[in-house]
Amino acid sequence: MTPRPSHPTGENTLLKPRSTLTRELVNLDGLWRFALEDANVREPWTGALVSKLEAPVPSSYNDLFADQQIRDHVGWVWYQRTAWVPRGWSGERVFLRLDAATHEGKVYVNDVLVAHHVGGYTPFEADITEHVTPGADFRLTVGVNNELTRATIPPGTISVSQDGRRQQTYLHDFYNYAGLARSVWLYSKPERHITDVTIVTGIIGRTGVVDYSVEASQETKVRVRVLDATGREVTNAVGSVGTLSIEDVLLWRPGAAYLYDLVVELLDGEDMVDSYTEHFGVRTVEVRGTDFLINGEPFYFTGFGKHEDTAVRGKGHDNAYLVHDFQLLDWVGANSFRTSHYPYAEEVLEFADRHGIVVVDETAAVGLNLGVQGGLTGIGPQPTFSPDTFNHETQAAHAQHLREVIARDKNHPSVVMWSIANEPASNEDGAREFFEPLVKLARQLDPTRPLTYAAVMFATFQNDKIADLFDVLSINRYYGWYVFTGDLKTAEQYLERDMRGWVEAFGKPIMMSEYGADTMPGQHSIWDMPWSEEYQQSFLDMNHRVFDRIDAFIGEHVWNFADFQTSNGIHRVDGNRKGVFTRDRKPKAAAHSLRARWTGLNGAKPTEGQTKAAENTSTDVRAEPALEGAK
Ligand code: GCB
């Protein structure tokens, strides 16, 4: 087996490739030759990949072919195409950038391995100048491996079946789609070039304060200019680190985005050596008491946990779905979403920046929890955090992933909070030792944004070991679905007691990061019948009654925006059906009731006038919840 590098090869920059005055960009999406690895299709790459199959980029490969072996494949697959280096690029440095290779990627230019990266949802690049010739073509071969292990984020386990097939299991329900699900780029940069730009904004009165810092491949004079949305220069400065002021600033606000451009130029005397433009918005984010403030004003999150998931293309990025999903978010009155359970394609964040949708940016650390398989108790047969289970190697992979996510997404105004894990075993011994250094690292990498993690049902306000390290309590709860199924009255009492317990124990803002009920469109009932469209509505209404009674509540993200594909399991009929929209984005009845609630709220905290007082507000609960049927 080839060694697994712990960090991207090449320059450690995750700046999105853009065409500018000094940089050119060639998109390499399209149909590539494709094959599973076998005795003939494998490294070293010294020739053509011989296969009848072609796979589109960007797309996951799993659902494309009528072949179970491909869908269930565990290991490497290979993609190949020919690419041309434009002849005008002589004297420039030539780079390849893969926006994602899920979960491990290797890149060959002709016969040379130029990049190797682990981590399926973050980009990596390689400087291939020495291996290509402007005006000539080259053979580009990309290997992608979908294996999840204890040393990957997300984690998983590989076993071998009795008949010798390798099988992948993992600790999250969404399907482990793999392949080149995001774009591939060939691009040029000048010899001396900008490698990183960081922008942090503040507001003093009517002035926007913009702290910037620029890194370059060689020390060179730096000039920065701020342009407003009409392209007019509003301020400028010289120096690689500095502060700019924008008088009468137009703020980036939820629902009313306004973006400026920071044009960064490297100068040699008066000659421009390199130029790169980063878009940014001026806004502040702060947690104060039990409020989440954007630009100093309390913000109430309405929206969803989403997935990158559509039929056939799996997690393949698709601009038509991007536009349509945001239209539906707007239609339903959602002001935000969480990138559950991995960082999404950069196009999604850029779209959110432009359209004023607020994002909780989550890492791919989903499933650091062996207890979820433990059923009734939530304590698995093995402890989650131990030398034999999730250990220093897992933690190192998580840390590296955090570095890459924050490096990639730090300048997006839409991103207001990092969620560093989904449903870890925060109730188990070892959780604090695992997470405390990661929290510290995240705060070093980005001191400006609040931190959260989504807490699993088994982590309660009494046994959770890490919540005090974070700024916002994000709670995933399924009262009325996995517990008290069909009994919303009891569910309401337990939910309220649970939420009030967190608020009293930690005194922090709290949001529901997941609540939802599987629903078959077309299933109807006059009773509280799970799976019916009416039950999904009543389930959400019950949750909202509780949220509206608790002052510290700062938001609600329904699980899930749309139905999505899962691994095989008896809980699932063609995937997870907790979508408020179907997988092809048709509204279930709950979409209409959410719309009525959220368009009324308009991003503000619910007030008494906006919500009906609950009929039954009693929190006198006698029995302990039976966790029977819990996942
Ligand atoms: C959860 C997970 C989410 C699942 C969901 C469910 O708690 O965070 O990934 O899809 O439950 O529907 O079971």
Side-chain angles (χ1 to χ4, degrees):
M1 210 174 125
T2 33
R4 288 168 177 254
S6 60
H7 56 81
T9 51
E11 279 182 22
N12 202 9
T13 173
L14 297 179
L15 277 186
K16 191 171 196 307
R18 295 189 206 288
S19 23
T20 70
L21 258 177
T22 55
R23 298 168 173 228
E24 285 175 28
L25 198 54
V26 175
N27 180 275
L28 296 181
D29 295 352
L31 287 166
W32 294 44
R33 291 189 289 285
F34 177 85
L36 302 188
E37 178 162 292
D38 64 19
N40 302 316
V41 177
R42 56 180 307 157
E43 296 164 281
W45 280 102
T46 53
L49 188 166
V50 181
S51 168
K52 281 192 186 140
L53 301 179
E54 296 185 37
V57 176
S59 175
S60 304
Y61 63 77
N62 310 75
D63 290 352
L64 298 173
F65 306 102
D67 184 341
Q68 183 85 38
Q69 204 198 333
I70 298 180
R71 192 163 199 267
D72 295 346
H73 177 70
V74 178
W76 290 96
V77 300
W78 291 92
Y79 289 76
Q80 193 178 71
R81 63 164 286 160
T82 303
W84 282 88
V85 182
R87 61 184 173 178
W89 288 10
S90 73
E92 303 297 303
R93 297 219 70 88
V94 181
F95 286 80
L96 267 173
R97 199 226 210 208
L98 285 81
D99 286 351
T102 316
H103 296 281
E104 178 178 359
K106 280 188 186 181
V107 182
Y108 280 82
V109 166
N110 297 321
D111 301 350
V112 183
L113 177 68
V114 296
H116 183 188
H117 176 258
V118 177
Y121 302 102
T122 43
F124 60 104
E125 67 174 28
D127 182 339
I128 61 168
T129 317
E130 311 310 328
H131 309 292
V132 293
T133 311
D137 63 0
F138 66 95
R139 177 177 13 93
L140 174 58
T141 313
V142 177
V144 185
N145 186 315
N146 62 356
E147 292 174 32
L148 297 174
T149 68
R150 284 182 178 158
T152 61
I153 293 291
T157 313
I158 293 164
S159 56
V160 180
S161 67
Q162 284 188 352
D163 59 1
R165 280 170 300 132
R166 300 179 75 232
Q167 291 178 319
Q168 174 79 65
T169 49
Y170 37 91
L171 297 134
H172 51 80
D173 73 337
F174 63 90
Y175 187 81
N176 186 33
Y177 281 115
L180 295 176
R182 297 179 188 165
S183 288
V184 179
W185 307 94
L186 181 70
Y187 71 111
S188 71
K189 296 186 214 175
E191 185 65 41
R192 273 181 289 174
H193 52 262
I194 297 152
T195 56
D196 201 9
V197 179
T198 306
I199 301 168
V200 173
T201 61
I203 307 165
I204 301 177
R206 295 176 56 183
T207 305
V209 181
V210 182
D211 291 330
Y212 72 90
S213 84
V214 175
E215 285 171 30
S217 60
Q218 288 169 40
E219 212 170 300
T220 316
K221 184 174 164 192
V222 173
R223 177 170 68 195
V224 296
R225 298 185 289 128
V226 174
L227 310 183
D228 69 12
T230 67
R232 190 177 61 93
E233 184 172 317
V234 291
T235 180
N236 61 56
V238 171
S240 59
V241 178
T243 300
L244 296 152
S245 296
I246 306 176
E247 304 302 328
D248 292 323
V249 68
L250 289 164
L251 298 181
W252 189 96
R253 297 176 194 276
Y258 188 92
L259 294 179
Y260 291 91
D261 279 349
L262 185 75
V263 181
V264 181
E265 291 159 344
L266 294 190
L267 302 175
D268 187 353
E270 277 315 298
D271 292 342
M272 189 197 298
V273 179
D274 190 18
S275 163
Y276 184 85
T277 300
E278 186 74 328
H279 313 298
F280 70 98
V282 179
R283 59 110 184 90
T284 60
V285 179
E286 189 194 338
V287 167
R288 198 185 298 155
T290 55
D291 281 331
F292 192 96
L293 306 178
I294 299 183
N295 301 333
E297 288 166 19
F299 179 72
Y300 190 83
F301 295 80
T302 56
F304 303 92
K306 281 184 100 264
H307 264 301
E308 291 186 309
D309 174 273
T310 55
V312 184
R313 61 178 79 62
K315 297 206 172 304
H317 176 70
D318 182 288
N319 280 329
Y321 272 95
L322 170 68
V323 168
H324 192 55
D325 282 4
F326 274 72
Q327 284 285 307
L328 293 180
L329 290 174
D330 188 48
W331 174 86
V332 78
N335 58 21
S336 56
F337 64 89
R338 175 171 61 125
T339 69
S340 42
H341 296 308
Y342 38 82
Y344 292 177
E346 286 158 278
E347 289 84 347
V348 179
L349 297 183
E350 289 185 329
F351 203 86
D353 290 345
R354 290 196 297 274
H355 295 272
I357 291 283
V358 169
V359 177
V360 177
D361 198 353
E362 183 160 276
T363 71
V366 51
L368 291 170
N369 198 331
L370 298 173
V372 170
Q373 296 176 320
L376 292 179
T377 59
I379 306 293
Q382 286 178 292
T384 298
F385 305 105
S386 80
D388 297 332
T389 52
F390 300 135
N391 53 27
H392 286 299
E393 222 187 328
T394 324
Q395 192 188 38
H398 196 158
Q400 180 55 26
H401 176 61
L402 257 178
R403 284 186 202 101
E404 293 178 25
V405 176
I406 295 179
R408 193 195 75 160
D409 294 346
K410 62 188 171 184
N411 293 332
H412 289 286
S414 57
V415 174
V416 299
M417 178 156 66
W418 307 109
S419 167
I420 77 170
N422 182 68
E423 300 198 339
S426 55
N427 53 318
E428 286 191 40
D429 286 343
R432 200 164 179 96
E433 292 73 8
F434 191 94
F435 279 100
E436 202 164 11
L438 296 173
V439 168
K440 202 169 151 208
L441 174 67
R443 293 204 192 279
Q444 267 164 13
L445 295 168
D446 180 4
T448 71
R449 286 181 180 85
L451 295 181
T452 195
Y453 69 99
V456 67
M457 190 91 180
F458 301 119
T460 66
F461 62 90
Q462 286 125 326
N463 67 17
D464 185 277
K465 297 182 193 312
I466 62 171
D468 61 299
L469 301 171
F470 292 80
D471 305 298
V472 169
L473 306 168
S474 297
I475 312 288
N476 293 357
R477 288 293 183 270
Y478 290 89
Y479 289 107
W481 186 253
Y482 288 117
V483 293
F484 306 121
T485 317
D487 178 2
L488 292 176
K489 273 217 163 80
T490 312
E492 183 164 348
Q493 295 176 353
Y494 276 94
L495 172 65
E496 179 150 4
R497 190 176 69 165
D498 190 348
M499 295 301 105
R500 288 196 187 279
W502 284 93
V503 173
E504 277 155 31
F506 296 101
K508 294 177 190 264
I510 186 168
M511 68 182 286
M512 196 64 125
S513 37
E514 282 184 26
Y515 60 115
D518 285 88
T519 304
M520 285 306 263
Q523 189 73 35
H524 293 290
S525 177
I526 58 165
W527 320 116
D528 271 348
M529 189 175 298
W531 291 95
S532 66
E533 294 200 40
E534 289 80 4
Y535 189 72
Q536 190 179 32
Q537 291 178 297
S538 311
F539 172 99
L540 297 176
D541 288 348
M542 178 279 285
N543 274 269
H544 298 151
R545 283 197 296 274
V546 173
F547 307 165
D548 293 348
R549 291 197 288 262
I550 299 177
D551 284 344
F553 246 78
I554 58 153
E556 50 200 57
H557 278 171
V558 176
W559 191 255
N560 188 285
F561 172 73
D563 294 345
F564 60 90
Q565 194 51 263
T566 59
S567 57
N568 294 336
I570 52 166
H571 291 59
R572 308 292 188 225
V573 185
D574 192 23
N576 187 311
R577 300 303 196 104
K578 295 191 186 69
V580 164
F581 297 93
T582 60
R583 203 178 189 206
D584 61 354
R585 276 52 174 175
K586 302 279 194 316
K588 299 179 191 171
H592 296 280
S593 38
L594 278 176
R595 181 170 193 240
R597 173 176 168 82
W598 287 347
T599 51
L601 294 180
N602 232 344
K605 243 174 150 146
T607 60
E608 292 217 359
Q610 283 166 317
T611 57
K612 282 181 274 151
E615 280 163 36
N616 177 3
T617 55
S618 159
T619 51
D620 167 24
V621 176
R622 284 156 303 257
E624 279 305 306
L627 294 181
E628 231 153 322
K631 296 163 290 163

